[in-house]
Coordinates of all heavy atoms in Angstrom, one line a residue:
V1 N 139.8 178.6 -5.5 CA 140.5 179.5 -6.4 C 140.8 180.8 -5.6 O 139.9 181.4 -5.1 CB 139.7 179.8 -7.6 CG1 140.4 180.8 -8.5 CG2 139.4 178.5 -8.4
T2 N 142.1 181.1 -5.5 CA 142.5 182.3 -4.7 C 142.9 183.5 -5.6 O 142.9 184.6 -5.1 CB 143.7 181.9 -3.8 OG1 144.8 181.5 -4.6 CG2 143.2 180.9 -2.8
R3 N 143.2 183.2 -6.8 CA 143.6 184.3 -7.7 C 143.4 183.8 -9.1 O 143.7 182.7 -9.5 CB 145.1 184.6 -7.5 CG 145.7 185.7 -8.4 CD 147.2 185.8 -8.4 NE 147.8 184.5 -8.9 CZ 148.0 184.2 -10.1 NH1 147.5 184.9 -11.1 NH2 148.6 183.1 -10.5
Q4 N 142.9 184.7 -10.0 CA 142.7 184.3 -11.4 C 143.0 185.6 -12.2 O 142.6 186.7 -11.8 CB 141.3 183.8 -11.7 CG 140.2 184.7 -11.5 CD 139.7 184.9 -10.0 OE1 140.2 184.2 -9.1 NE2 138.8 185.8 -9.8
K5 N 143.7 185.4 -13.4 CA 144.0 186.5 -14.3 C 144.2 186.0 -15.7 O 144.5 184.8 -15.9 CB 145.2 187.3 -13.8 CG 146.5 186.5 -13.9 CD 147.7 187.4 -13.6 CE 148.9 186.6 -13.9 NZ 150.1 187.5 -14.2
V6 N 144.0 186.8 -16.6 CA 144.2 186.5 -18.0 C 145.7 186.7 -18.4 O 146.3 187.6 -17.9 CB 143.3 187.4 -19.0 CG1 143.7 187.2 -20.4 CG2 141.9 187.2 -18.7
D7 N 146.2 185.7 -19.0 CA 147.6 185.8 -19.5 C 147.6 186.5 -20.9 O 147.3 185.9 -21.9 CB 148.2 184.4 -19.7 CG 149.7 184.4 -20.0 OD1 150.1 185.4 -20.6 OD2 150.4 183.5 -19.7
T8 N 147.7 187.8 -20.8 CA 147.5 188.6 -22.0 C 148.6 188.3 -23.1 O 148.4 188.5 -24.3 CB 147.5 190.1 -21.7 OG1 148.7 190.4 -21.0 CG2 146.3 190.5 -20.9
G9 N 149.8 187.8 -22.6 CA 150.8 187.5 -23.6 C 150.6 186.3 -24.4 O 151.1 186.1 -25.5
K10 N 149.7 185.4 -23.9 CA 149.4 184.2 -24.6 C 147.9 184.1 -25.2 O 147.6 183.2 -25.9 CB 149.6 183.0 -23.7 CG 151.0 182.8 -23.3 CD 151.2 181.6 -22.4 CE 152.6 181.4 -22.0 NZ 152.8 180.3 -21.0
S11 N 147.1 185.1 -24.9 CA 145.8 185.2 -25.3 C 145.6 186.0 -26.6 O 146.3 187.0 -26.8 CB 144.9 185.8 -24.2 OG 144.9 185.0 -23.1
T12 N 144.7 185.5 -27.4 CA 144.4 186.3 -28.7 C 143.0 186.7 -28.8 O 142.7 187.4 -29.8 CB 144.7 185.3 -29.9 OG1 143.9 184.2 -29.9 CG2 146.2 184.9 -29.9
L13 N 142.2 186.4 -27.8 CA 140.7 186.8 -27.9 C 140.6 188.3 -27.7 O 139.9 188.9 -28.5 CB 139.9 186.1 -26.8 CG 138.4 186.3 -26.9 CD1 137.8 185.8 -28.2 CD2 137.8 185.6 -25.7
H14 N 141.2 188.9 -26.7 CA 141.1 190.3 -26.4 C 139.7 190.9 -26.5 O 139.4 191.8 -27.2 CB 142.1 191.1 -27.4 CG 143.5 190.6 -27.4 ND1 144.3 190.6 -26.3 CD2 144.2 190.0 -28.4 CE1 145.4 190.0 -26.6 NE2 145.4 189.7 -27.9
Q15 N 138.8 190.3 -25.7 CA 137.5 190.8 -25.6 C 137.1 190.8 -24.1 O 136.9 189.8 -23.5 CB 136.5 189.8 -26.3 CG 135.3 190.4 -27.0 CD 134.3 191.0 -26.1 OE1 134.3 190.7 -24.9 NE2 133.5 192.0 -26.6
A16 N 137.1 192.1 -23.6 CA 137.0 192.3 -22.1 C 135.8 191.6 -21.5 O 135.8 191.0 -20.4 CB 137.0 193.7 -21.8
A17 N 134.6 191.7 -22.2 CA 133.4 191.1 -21.6 C 133.5 189.6 -21.4 O 133.1 189.1 -20.4 CB 132.2 191.5 -22.4
V18 N 134.1 188.9 -22.4 CA 134.3 187.5 -22.3 C 135.3 187.2 -21.2 O 135.1 186.3 -20.4 CB 134.7 186.9 -23.6 CG1 134.9 185.4 -23.5 CG2 133.6 187.1 -24.7
E19 N 136.4 187.9 -21.2 CA 137.4 187.6 -20.2 C 136.9 187.8 -18.8 O 137.1 187.0 -17.9 CB 138.6 188.6 -20.5 CG 139.3 188.3 -21.8 CD 140.4 189.4 -22.1 OE1 140.5 190.4 -21.4 OE2 141.1 189.2 -23.1
D20 N 136.2 188.9 -18.5 CA 135.7 189.2 -17.2 C 134.7 188.1 -16.8 O 134.7 187.6 -15.6 CB 135.0 190.5 -17.1 CG 136.0 191.7 -17.3 OD1 137.2 191.5 -17.1 OD2 135.6 192.8 -17.6
C21 N 133.8 187.7 -17.7 CA 132.8 186.6 -17.4 C 133.5 185.3 -17.1 O 133.2 184.7 -16.1 CB 131.9 186.5 -18.6 SG 130.6 185.2 -18.4
V22 N 134.5 184.9 -17.8 CA 135.2 183.7 -17.6 C 136.0 183.8 -16.2 O 135.9 182.8 -15.4 CB 136.2 183.4 -18.7 CG1 137.2 182.2 -18.4 CG2 135.5 183.0 -20.0
L23 N 136.6 184.9 -15.9 CA 137.3 185.0 -14.6 C 136.3 184.9 -13.5 O 136.6 184.3 -12.5 CB 138.0 186.3 -14.6 CG 139.2 186.5 -15.5 CD1 139.8 187.9 -15.4 CD2 140.3 185.4 -15.2
R24 N 135.1 185.5 -13.6 CA 134.1 185.3 -12.5 C 133.7 183.9 -12.4 O 133.5 183.4 -11.2 CB 132.9 186.2 -12.9 CG 133.1 187.7 -12.6 CD 131.8 188.5 -12.6 NE 131.0 188.2 -13.9 CZ 131.1 188.9 -15.0 NH1 132.0 189.9 -15.1 NH2 130.3 188.7 -16.0

């Protein structure tokens, strides 16, 4: 995996701690 990011336009969770954890 060389790059990972949240697609904010398609996501509805909007919870930074979960997003950061999943990206890691």
Side-chain angles (χ1 to χ4, degrees):
V1 175
T2 59
R3 179 191 63 79
Q4 66 278 353
K5 69 175 188 156
V6 173
D7 186 335
T8 56
K10 295 180 181 174
S11 296
T12 61
L13 185 64
H14 306 299
Q15 214 295 338
V18 177
E19 294 171 355
D20 293 343
C21 180
V22 169
L23 291 177
R24 284 192 307 272

